[in-house]
Amino acid sequence: MTSTTAPIPLKTIVIVGGGTAGWIAAAMLARFVPRATKIRLVESDAIGTVGVGEATIPQIRLLTAALGIDENAMLAATQGTFKLGIEFVDWNGPGSRYMHAFGAVGRGLGVVPFHHHWLRARAAGLAAPLGDYIASARAAADARFDRHPDLAYAYHFDATLLARWLRGLAEGSGVDRIEGRIVTAHRDGESGDLTSVTLDDGRTVEGDFFLDCSGFRSLLLGETLGVAFEDWAHWLPCDRAMAVACETTTPLLPYTRATARPVGWQWRIPLQHRTGNGLVYAAPHLSDDEAAARLLANLDGAAIGDPRPLRFATGKRARFWDHNVIALGLASGFMEPLESTSIHMVQSAVARLLALFPSADDTGAARDAYNRQTHGEYDRIRDFLILHYHANGRDEPFWQGCCDTPLPEALADKIAQFRAGAILTQDATDLFTDPAWLQVMIGQGITPATWSPLAEGLSEAQLDRFLGEIRARHAALAASLPDHAQMIARQCAAPSR
Ligand code: FAD
């Protein structure tokens, strides 16, 4: 009989890159990996970070909890605000708007999900818009916020300040930061594993495990190990963004806004000291100069600085963990910021790594599971984003092209099920839950042919009362909350204000 023996710890983990991905990984590893393993992070100030990435989803609070972060202190340090969801404007045709708010939609009755009752009530002329039955959407509409068990929330923050703040946290926990530009990566002649990286001043940094957080360049996984990139431009056609900040306006909205434009869409992210804006567009349809002009013409306040162009490719790597390298963040792939998923994907990848953590004599047993789970997460998020583009109600050539593009099979099935009988079935790897899919499908004009026969159990009077109670409760909750800006001023104002 063989015996179970203690694992041999990794000696050194080298993190390449100090953007949001690198410093999230560094802070988490410093917290959870025993001190026998050294953690070193190499970054180059000369190269810098992508510098955008300011909106998050509620799962970010798992990260702050895991790191033992004081939420108020973090928001004060990053000019942060609260986020209750995303308002989508003009996606289902000019003048349309809906909210994808965080948290539950209404409440189920018996075994029947809420939306079946709502669809029945809507057909009978008894229902208010879906957002009236979602606590977060109701509070968002009034620009009110406080921490409350019924409100699911996330944050907006300044991405550069966040990386700086995380760096302080990680360095305080023993992470060794090395400044310098990596020029070469070295592999073991036999195993092909990475052994070290060399900097432009000749220094060498050795490690037995590497996290590639080098951004779009994917220095280790893409360039050194040659792992291919799977391009999704045919499904998600935007490949550029033009970003500019502008002065804040009142009220301070506790949500992101995503406004559809003739080509692509524009984000609006309110922070304490400024509002972040960006136009996401497709190069074949719009020049950079035209994109900058359109962005500047559609700001709520005076622009701060000049618009900054960003180029990206939408897609993922064929493997995320190859040999002794895991890519995180932009080095692993990218999907545009429509549902603010990138930072979450860094955090969930780090959680997955910790759950499957290798030892120095790792046999690669965990690699397949890691790659399978990460592919699943990527593919389901991709489908959710494609839904926004596909089910649009606009008539410009760019948007017509999005309607006409054949869908991935799983998404086509999901839409067909919803159209047929308002059926929503969540896949285990899907980050987005049924309430999220429901809000976007309804908001973008997908109308189910019918609802569950089980929803017929209530009389019309009972149905009316049931919906009315939920609506009244959410309205009362919203009315009881402080104004978002006042709440921030009291609890987490940035020092310079
Ligand atoms: P980067 O920020 O690019 O960092 C790369 C690091 O690698 C840098 O420190 C750099 O110095 C270092 N590096 C590179 N090459 C070398 C080298 N040779 N030697 C040494 N160091 C090197 N995400 C969200 O969650 N929400 C959003 O709202 C959101 N909006 C976005 C909008 C746009 C237009 C884009 C493009 C992205 C957005 N993202 C968003 C994604 C988010 O910005 C990134 O996922 C996140 O910042 C992680 O970036 P990163 O750390 O992987 O890469």
Side-chain angles (χ1 to χ4, degrees):
M1 198 172 85
T2 53
S3 58
T4 308
T5 56
I8 304 167
L10 293 168
K11 281 200 199 70
T12 308
I13 299 174
V14 178
I15 301 173
V16 169
T20 315
W23 285 117
I24 286 178
M28 286 288 282
L29 295 192
R31 180 126 175 139
F32 293 106
V33 177
R35 288 292 162 106
T37 302
K38 264 197 278 175
I39 296 161
R40 315 188 80 184
L41 184 146
V42 186
E43 69 173 320
S44 161
D45 281 341
I47 294 175
T49 67
V50 69
V52 282
E54 308 195 316
T56 59
I57 56 175
Q59 285 83 349
I60 185 86
R61 290 168 56 208
L62 298 174
L63 179 74
T64 47
L67 291 174
I69 287 173
D70 176 88
E71 191 173 272
N72 283 342
M74 189 265 289
L75 292 172
T78 59
Q79 298 279 355
T81 62
F82 294 92
K83 172 178 172 185
L84 290 166
I86 305 173
E87 185 188 36
F88 289 91
V89 177
D90 294 346
W91 288 74
N92 194 22
S96 65
R97 58 178 66 218
Y98 72 94
M99 178 78 92
H100 166 197
F102 302 138
V105 179
R107 69 179 169 84
L109 202 57
V111 294
V112 185
F114 173 81
H115 68 275
H116 293 282
H117 297 294
W118 179 79
L119 285 167
R120 183 181 160 214
R122 186 170 74 161
L126 297 174
L130 196 57
D132 279 19
Y133 305 97
I134 308 170
S136 309
R138 196 62 196 72
D142 291 352
R144 290 172 181 273
F145 181 77
D146 210 343
R147 297 179 182 96
H148 185 281
D150 287 353
L151 296 181
Y153 66 89
Y155 319 122
H156 301 121
F157 40 53
D158 179 318
T160 307
L161 294 179
L162 180 79
R164 194 177 300 160
W165 199 76
L166 287 167
R167 173 181 163 184
L169 205 68
E171 287 187 308
S173 306
V175 173
D176 177 21
R177 174 185 184 271
I178 300 162
E179 164 65 34
R181 193 167 66 84
I182 295 167
V183 286
T184 343
H186 306 276
R187 299 178 70 175
D188 181 88
E190 248 175 58
S191 67
D193 284 358
L194 234 72
T195 52
S196 64
V197 290
T198 303
L199 310 185
D200 54 359
D201 60 5
R203 278 177 298 164
T204 291
V205 183
E206 291 181 352
D208 42 7
F209 203 81
F210 292 79
L211 297 185
D212 183 354
C213 303
S214 64
F216 286 124
R217 192 171 155 197
S218 196
L219 195 62
L220 305 183
L221 192 80
E223 284 188 16
T224 307
L225 297 182
V227 174
F229 182 78
E230 187 181 314
D231 197 309
W232 285 340
H234 52 297
W235 282 316
L236 293 166
C238 291
D239 57 1
R240 306 260 166 118
M242 193 62 72
V244 75
C246 72
E247 287 173 4
T248 47
T249 50
T250 53
L252 183 67
L253 300 178
Y255 55 88
T256 304
R257 181 175 289 146
T259 305
R261 298 290 183 212
V263 176
W265 62 279
Q266 184 173 331
W267 79 72
R268 179 191 188 283
I269 300 178
L271 302 180
Q272 292 185 38
H273 62 324
R274 60 170 169 77
T275 301
N277 306 278
L279 182 66
V280 177
Y281 58 102
H285 294 263
L286 197 66
S287 72
D288 291 350
D289 287 347
E290 185 62 19
R294 289 189 187 186
L295 177 63
L296 290 172
N298 283 298
L299 300 178
D300 291 345
I304 303 171
D306 293 326
R308 193 163 65 91
L310 294 137
R311 294 180 175 205
F312 56 83
T314 296
K316 63 175 182 179
R317 294 281 156 188
R319 290 180 300 285
F320 308 98
W321 180 346
D322 196 43
H323 288 276
N324 57 341
V325 176
I326 289 185
L328 301 175
L330 302 173
S332 70
F334 181 60
M335 286 177 278
E336 57 159 274
L338 188 54
E339 285 280 354
S340 324
T341 40
S342 290
I343 293 173
H344 168 75
M345 292 178 81
V346 172
Q347 145 192 359
S348 79
V350 173
R352 203 171 299 127
L353 164 62
L354 291 174
L356 300 168
F357 206 74
S359 59
D361 53 352
D362 180 46
T363 55
R367 224 176 291 162
D368 286 349
Y370 181 94
N371 284 326
R372 197 173 46 249
Q373 289 171 15
T374 312
H375 278 299
E377 183 179 55
Y378 256 92
D379 294 357
R380 296 289 75 75
I381 293 174
R382 175 202 67 196
D383 287 358
F384 190 54
L385 299 187
I386 297 172
L387 169 67
H388 298 65
Y389 279 91
H390 170 75
N392 76 78
R394 300 183 63 102
D395 56 12
E396 296 92 346
F398 170 82
W399 290 103
Q400 284 301 307
C402 295
C403 289
D404 297 343
T405 304
L407 298 175
E409 202 181 322
L411 175 60
D413 287 350
K414 192 151 182 129
I415 294 175
Q417 286 180 13
F418 188 72
R419 264 192 215 290
I423 296 162
L424 290 168
T425 49
Q426 194 183 335
D427 187 298
T429 53
D430 200 340
L431 167 65
F432 290 99
T433 55
D434 289 350
W437 283 88
L438 172 72
Q439 291 174 72
V440 176
M441 292 220 219
I442 293 289
Q444 305 241 163
I446 298 178
T447 304
T450 187
W451 51 84
S452 167
L454 302 185
E456 292 292 313
L458 297 181
S459 69
E460 272 208 357
Q462 285 172 321
L463 180 63
D464 196 26
R465 202 162 50 244
F466 170 61
L467 290 182
E469 279 167 9
I470 296 173
R471 200 172 166 220
R473 203 178 57 245
H474 293 339
L477 170 61
S480 75
L481 299 170
D483 172 73
H484 179 219
Q486 280 169 9
M487 185 272 180
I488 287 178
R490 272 202 296 272
Q491 299 197 28
C492 43
S496 57
R497 278 157 56 92

